[in-house]
Amino acid sequence: MPRLPLVHYVDKLEGAAWLDPAAGAVAGLVRKAVPAGKVADALHGVPLGHPVHPLLVVVPLGAWVSAAVLDLMPGNQGAAKTLVGLGVLAAVPSALTGVTDFSQLDTPQQRTGIVHQASNAVATVLYAASWLARKRGDHGMGKLLAFGGLAVSGVGGFLGGHLSYRQGAGVNRNEDLSEEIPEGWHSLGPVEAFAAGQPRAASLGSIGLMVLRREEAGGGAVSVLADTCSHLGGPLHEGHLQETGGQLCVVCPWHGSTFSVESGEVMRGPATAPQPVFQTRIRGGQLEVSLTGAGD
Ligand code: FES
């Protein structure tokens, strides 16, 4: 099936290195303004368990599309103005969550993301101007500006969809793990092969694992997590250990997502999905793991 020309240009954006200075500057500013912590976690959507940005964008877009429908019908000037203003206000939290996610994306994603943000910023300015024009009674100009804003926000929305569904921003990297690992227990080899107190790499078929023999338990207790960080796939076995919220955690080396080694719970974002944790047992000196614990 022939593709829209827009898709061709958006594909090219991913490789547009000339966008890197602007993207890097914005990402750096956001990381400085919203450092890792509770506020950043709330903006990423850690308490929600998935990114909060897609949830918030429906408010301005819904308001603006509704305003466009009203603008096409006579006698709805007051309601259309209200919806345009509501959309402008709702664009603020939407933008805040979006730029916070953007600040922790990889380079090709940030190239798309910076144009997505710029489009949405232009759309918001057009809608703000539309609201002001309507306020002073110039509804013709208000409609013109609003339809311009709708067109630009359509481009922004298309880029947002590309970022999520084509480039995988905000996608849980371990979603299909349970389908890839057969039920039952699987040997990872002699437990003594894993030095105590440091995350180590192991594999189960094509699945990478992070193995941690716990020092505080004399190396006898072992935590095993999926090695692929649920955020953007960073290798957890290259991360470091730290105590967070009273729990021993591993910190992803790429963007600092912090997971409990016991439960896989996200203790600090940008990851929002927990890290899969395997059950472990030691039989005859062999370390065995199971994702489900089923079978013997
Ligand atoms: S890949 Fe981003 S925090 Fe792990």
Side-chain angles (χ1 to χ4, degrees):
M1 178 180 287
R3 300 194 309 166
L4 292 172
L6 186 56
V7 181
H8 171 73
Y9 292 114
V10 173
D11 279 343
K12 281 196 160 184
L13 269 185
E14 298 174 23
W18 59 271
L19 290 166
D20 292 349
V26 173
L29 276 174
V30 174
R31 284 196 295 270
K32 213 169 173 181
V34 192
K38 287 196 168 105
V39 174
D41 282 356
L43 292 169
H44 284 304
V46 174
L48 201 62
H50 63 75
V52 71
H53 179 64
L55 210 63
L56 296 184
V57 297
V58 297
V59 183
L61 288 178
W64 290 338
V65 170
S66 303
V69 173
L70 293 179
D71 276 342
L72 292 174
M73 300 186 299
N76 295 299
Q77 294 177 342
K81 174 172 160 265
T82 302
L83 285 171
V84 165
L86 174 69
V88 172
L89 291 178
V92 175
S94 174
L96 282 176
T97 53
V99 294
T100 307
D101 288 345
F102 162 84
S103 71
Q104 302 290 355
L105 295 179
D106 64 26
T107 300
Q109 292 170 337
Q110 284 189 341
R111 290 171 184 161
T112 308
I114 193 74
V115 183
H116 166 68
Q117 287 172 17
S119 305
N120 290 338
V122 169
T124 305
V125 167
L126 286 169
Y127 272 108
S130 166
W131 187 86
L132 288 171
R134 292 166 196 255
K135 188 168 182 284
R136 62 173 186 267
D138 190 349
H139 290 278
M141 178 56 75
K143 287 182 185 182
L144 203 63
L145 289 164
F147 281 114
L150 191 63
V152 179
S153 70
V155 173
F158 185 91
L159 291 170
H162 186 90
L163 198 49
S164 295
Y165 300 117
R166 182 72 74 88
Q167 294 184 273
V171 170
N172 175 13
R173 301 297 161 131
N174 295 305
E175 175 53 28
D176 52 359
L177 199 65
S178 58
E179 289 163 24
E180 294 183 42
I181 295 181
E183 284 194 4
W185 292 91
H186 309 278
S187 175
L188 297 184
V191 68
E192 293 297 332
F194 300 97
Q198 288 177 328
R200 296 287 181 188
S203 60
L204 194 53
S206 61
I207 307 298
L209 303 176
M210 186 213 82
V211 178
L212 176 66
R213 280 179 66 201
R214 313 276 291 276
E215 270 179 329
E216 79 276 12
V222 186
S223 293
V224 177
L225 281 71
D227 192 46
T228 301
C229 174
S230 67
H231 177 230
L232 284 182
L236 290 191
H237 75 274
E238 293 178 13
H240 67 273
L241 300 174
Q242 73 176 32
E243 287 278 330
T244 301
Q247 298 196 47
L248 181 62
C249 295
V250 61
V251 180
C252 178
W254 285 7
H255 310 99
S257 288
T258 305
F259 303 96
S260 162
V261 299
E262 283 278 0
S263 63
E265 180 188 355
V266 181
M267 305 300 289
R268 185 67 74 223
T272 55
Q275 200 61 17
V277 175
F278 290 72
Q279 295 187 39
T280 63
R281 69 184 185 187
I282 298 168
R283 291 261 170 113
Q286 300 285 308
L287 173 60
E288 295 183 353
V289 297
S290 170
L291 193 55
T292 61
D296 219 1

